[in-house]
Amino acid sequence: MKILVIGGGGREHAIIKKLKENPEVTEIVALPGNAGIAKDATCVDIRATDIDGIVEYAKAHPVDFAVVAPDDPLALGCVDRLHALGIPCFGPDAKAARIEASKVFAKDLMKKYNIPTAAYAVFDDPRAALEYVKSAPLPLVVKADGLALGKGVVICFSRQDAESAVVAAMVESVFGKSGRRIVIEEYLEGPEVSVLAFTDGHVVKPMVSSMDHKRAGDNDTGLNTGGMGTIAPNPCYTPEVAKRCMDEIFLPTIRAMNAEGCPFKGCLYFGLMVTKDGPKVIEYNCRFGDPETQVVLPLLKSDLLTVMTAVENGTLADTPVEFEGGAACCVMLASGGYPGKYEKGKVIDLGNAPAMARIYHSGTARNDQGQLVTAGGRVLGVSCTADTLREAIESAYKAAEEVRWEGMFYRKDIGKRAMEIIEEIRNWE
Ligand code: AMP
Ligand code: GLY
């Protein structure tokens, strides 16, 4: 089977490596892929947002199945266009992708169908938004409506911060069109859990839970990033929380999307907060998370292509989705300066890391001399599985220490909070 994978980051690398485990997969083409993916797939330099280019490629080079991994092409209707060519796909169509592409759509959906989430108000007019923040209870969370590379959320502890966030999004357009409309939300407290779930629009099969580490610095300091590391499973996702999530969030969301005439098929990502009033939705993503995928897929026991095909065919109910019992940790290695300004083109020395861990490439390229170089803010994900979380963390850090380039940095505390929570739970018992 020949498979097309749209995207070119660590998530796509993890998906491709997993797909390759199926002996029926004879060729994978990645658009555009990257220097690491090039070892596992044929990379063709067509951007993931160039939907016409992707469609032209698919017309000229027939494939048996396509996986559209990033949010932008999903929101732009890449799956709709590939379906029109008769290509079976994994991923939601543009209508269903609104669950991530428009925060207003997602919030209104949750309100209408009583899915627990933070209270909110929507604004199209900056004056009305500024008026609202004068008296709304603090802290407040200001969110751009559209896609903003994970940066469109500002948590405001003072009125001045809230005013600045409103002005930045709506007047100064720092998120472009995405911030013309904003959501202002109640601030929720509690541990965060990421749950990726396969759904064919009928049933939901959640994957092993995970914990992202979004801030750039140790102990959750510094700016928000796309994610600096992940662990799985997330100890806050107890069987009781999982049951409540299934009954109060996962199934109601699938039913709500069906009722709205936009059934969701693909990987639905639930960004959850376990508050004192129970689990609530912080955000939905219409795709696999990055770097959640780099810990979740290594633990998947079932064949990924079989599951993806069942999602597309609507037969997920009859298809087992099973995970290993152990744990995983992924440490992201980033370019100095990220998520602010950073330099590219630094030569990477992987040392002995590839023998010690799964190395997923996020932002790498080859220079004119054929050397592996940095090509993005997040560069490599170093991921290890083990019987226990402690061992997975230790192995990932041992492998990370092998890697070098000028300016490289990584968080030193991925999984630390999860280990503390495991200890706390042990002490209660
Ligand atoms: P999002 O892009 O919506 O996932 O938001 C990014 C991060 O901001 C989340 O992972 C949370 O840590 C935080 N966040 C978003 N919404 C809220 C909220 N209502 N209350 C507290 N924290 C939030
Ligand atoms: N790691 C968060 C995301 O993929 O959006």
Side-chain angles (χ1 to χ4, degrees), residues 339-374:
K341 256 200 190 151
Y342 54 85
E343 288 178 41
K344 294 183 188 174
K346 304 290 180 194
V347 177
I348 301 169
D349 173 5
L350 289 174
N352 201 30
M356 299 161 72
R358 294 174 173 84
I359 309 294
Y360 297 123
H361 290 236
S362 298
T364 62
R366 297 254 167 218
N367 65 11
D368 293 343
Q369 290 98 57
Q371 294 166 301
L372 186 69
V373 295
T374 63

Side-chain angles (χ1 to χ4, degrees), residues 103-139:
K103 295 219 188 275
V104 175
F105 174 85
K107 294 297 290 190
D108 289 349
L109 186 87
M110 289 186 267
K111 189 175 181 184
K112 184 168 170 187
Y113 294 93
N114 287 320
I115 297 164
T117 188
Y120 72 105
V122 179
F123 297 94
D124 290 299
D125 174 7
R127 274 164 307 190
L130 288 171
E131 195 53 42
Y132 178 82
V133 303
K134 270 190 195 154
S135 58
L138 290 171

Side-chain angles (χ1 to χ4, degrees), residues 47 97 124 234 377:
R47 277 177 303 117
D124 290 299
N234 186 324

Side-chain angles (χ1 to χ4, degrees), residues 212 214 226 269 283 285 287-292:
D212 195 2
K214 283 198 170 139
Y269 168 130
E283 64 163 350
N285 291 325
R287 50 169 176 88
F288 282 95
D290 191 341
E292 284 87 344

Side-chain angles (χ1 to χ4, degrees), residues 209-272:
S209 61
S210 54
M211 183 191 287
D212 195 2
H213 297 68
K214 283 198 170 139
R215 302 291 206 90
D218 286 0
N219 300 316
D220 292 329
T221 53
L223 293 171
N224 247 331
T225 70
M228 293 299 293
T230 37
I231 59 95
N234 186 324
C236 303
Y237 195 66
T238 59
E240 296 76 45
V241 172
K243 166 126 187 30
R244 285 193 70 172
C245 286
M246 181 55 89
D247 295 343
E248 296 168 27
I249 296 173
F250 303 165
L251 288 171
T253 301
I254 298 312
R255 289 189 201 116
M257 292 297 275
N258 287 337
E260 291 296 307
C262 46
F264 190 100
K265 287 167 88 167
C267 171
L268 186 50
Y269 168 130
F270 297 90
L272 306 165

